[in-house]
Amino acid sequence: MGCGPGTVALELAGRVGFVFAVDPAAGMLEQGRALAEERGVRNIWWQQGDSSTLLAMGLPPLDSAVMGKSYHWMDRVQVLDDLNKLTIERAGVVILSAGPPGTTPLPGPVVAEVRAAYLGAVRRAGRGVYPEPEESYQATVERSPFSAVDVVPFDQVVVRSLGELIGLQLSNSYSTPAQLGERREAFEEDLREALLKFDSSGRYEETIHTEALIATRP
């Protein structure tokens, strides 16, 4: 759910029989299809939709549901109730990077400084600003039908090229091309210059801390 270009779906495909990859953005799904084709992945069904349309998608009984940061943007209580109706008895719900965005480190102060110069210091989201959740994801899930919760933390060292790091910023909800508008090229150029000044190698290492919140029915 909220699959984007298939970041999680493509990894899951080799471990399960079939994946339903759902996202509201047609462009994200198109990128996902292209990546699946490139990698020879044939067991993903790409479906446009969002958490509010789950019960109307005609999905079969599901063995599990997986979400990343997309969970933040959903009606978090309602989507768990809907998944309770859509999943088999032994199903689980997995939320990656469980907790408010920010628990996973951002690309760094260099990126944040350039972004703030263009979009302001307040974290943006679409046409508004980022809404802080009133309670932790874990607390929300523990009040749901999937109240048996385990949290598995893990770290991953990621090395990105200059182009990949800049591209990452344009994929984030708080610095999309739509928000930058006509200033997109200037933003990219200023960010490129700032990053190369910070590290002229063009390779940027980051340790990503992630939590997998794994929830099942008790």
Side-chain angles (χ1 to χ4, degrees):
M1 299 169 58
C3 67
T7 306
V8 175
L10 289 164
E11 295 297 327
L12 286 176
R15 296 169 170 81
V16 299
F18 200 79
V19 178
F20 295 93
V22 178
D23 197 275
M28 289 291 187
L29 295 170
E30 189 60 33
Q31 288 292 317
R33 290 188 188 98
L35 288 170
E37 181 67 25
E38 180 181 304
R39 301 180 189 183
V41 177
R42 303 280 187 257
N43 62 332
I44 301 179
W45 180 65
W46 305 90
Q47 170 68 36
Q48 189 168 7
D50 60 40
S51 59
S52 67
T53 63
L54 275 178
L55 298 181
M57 287 185 190
L59 297 170
L62 303 173
D63 297 299
S64 64
V66 183
M67 295 160 276
K69 292 181 180 179
S70 60
Y71 184 62
H72 172 78
W73 305 102
M74 301 175 186
D75 182 331
R76 293 185 284 276
V77 173
Q78 184 63 52
V79 76
L80 293 171
D81 286 343
D82 289 347
L83 287 173
N84 187 43
K85 300 170 185 174
L86 283 171
T87 53
I88 66 172
E89 182 59 32
R90 297 180 62 186
V93 173
V94 179
I95 304 171
L96 297 169
S97 295
T103 56
T104 297
L106 296 175
V110 174
V111 174
E113 183 176 347
V114 176
R115 185 171 59 238
Y118 279 81
L119 299 172
V122 177
R123 182 167 174 157
R124 298 166 64 91
R127 296 182 179 179
V129 296
Y130 171 77
E132 292 289 347
E134 296 181 359
E135 66 177 1
S136 70
Y137 294 172
Q138 183 170 348
T140 301
V141 175
E142 286 176 343
R143 293 191 292 105
S144 80
F146 304 94
S147 59
V149 178
D150 288 321
V151 179
V152 180
F154 54 94
D155 291 336
Q156 178 185 17
V157 177
V158 177
V159 179
R160 297 186 178 94
S161 68
L162 178 63
E164 289 170 336
L165 188 50
I166 293 173
L168 176 64
Q169 309 319 306
L170 298 175
S171 73
N172 288 328
S173 62
Y174 42 85
S175 52
T176 63
Q179 289 174 344
L180 291 164
E182 295 179 354
R183 299 178 297 168
R184 172 180 171 173
E185 289 187 9
F187 170 79
E188 291 186 49
E189 184 58 36
D190 285 349
L191 183 55
R192 182 177 292 105
E193 181 179 341
L195 287 168
L196 288 173
K197 184 177 180 181
F198 173 74
D199 186 341
S200 61
S201 72
R203 287 171 52 83
Y204 305 91
E205 182 177 302
E206 178 186 7
T207 299
I208 306 295
H209 177 70
T210 302
E211 291 181 339
L213 189 158
I214 303 170
T216 57
R217 297 179 179 89

